[in-house]
Amino acid sequence: ATQVPAVLMEILREHDGKLPFFDYTGLSCAEIVEAVSTGKSSENWYEGIVPFAKNGDGDFMVADGEGVRTWSPADGKGTVDAPSLAKYVEDYRNQMLSGKLEYVEDCGIMEIA
């Protein structure tokens, strides 16, 4: 069985989706279940991933046993962005607090150049 990271459980309790993660939008509990169900039909699916956000292209941010990465039904695994979801969320928060991010309409949260 796939383990849902504790930090994701807390995010879902507070927000249940729609929390922006850069150009990805957080998934609700129901959307996570749907993403897993749909993802399993992809030849690039692998057990143990938990999708928690999706972008406009249909790619996902996922947590797996190696950390947080992108995952695409067409291309499979992306590179690891953080060693854990807790570290990913902490780094994201720190970037927000430091003023290095801004919200761009129809794009999401973007790094300031």
Side-chain angles (χ1 to χ4, degrees):
T2 300
Q3 293 285 53
V4 177
V7 70
L8 180 56
M9 296 296 289
E10 289 301 317
I11 290 170
L12 292 170
R13 279 189 195 101
E14 292 294 322
H15 300 281
D16 195 26
K18 306 308 173 217
L19 184 67
F21 293 98
F22 296 102
D23 58 336
Y24 289 74
T25 302
L27 301 174
S28 68
C29 291
E31 290 168 326
I32 290 171
V33 170
E34 181 182 333
V36 169
S37 178
T38 303
K40 286 182 176 181
S41 67
S42 166
E43 66 182 24
N44 292 311
W45 182 261
Y46 60 102
E47 289 303 315
I49 65 173
V50 179
F52 65 89
K54 184 177 182 178
N55 70 11
D57 295 329
D59 299 331
F60 294 90
M61 289 298 298
V62 301
D64 65 15
E66 298 174 355
V68 171
R69 67 174 75 237
T70 57
W71 180 83
S72 163
D75 301 322
K77 289 183 186 184
T79 58
V80 173
D81 292 328
S84 69
L85 184 55
K87 179 70 171 142
Y88 180 83
V89 171
E90 178 184 359
D91 290 348
Y92 184 60
R93 179 208 60 181
N94 290 344
Q95 285 184 300
M96 291 179 107
L97 292 174
S98 70
K100 295 180 180 176
L101 303 175
E102 67 180 347
Y103 177 77
V104 177
E105 187 86 26
D106 296 327
C107 292
I109 303 293
M110 307 301 284
E111 290 185 68
I112 297 173

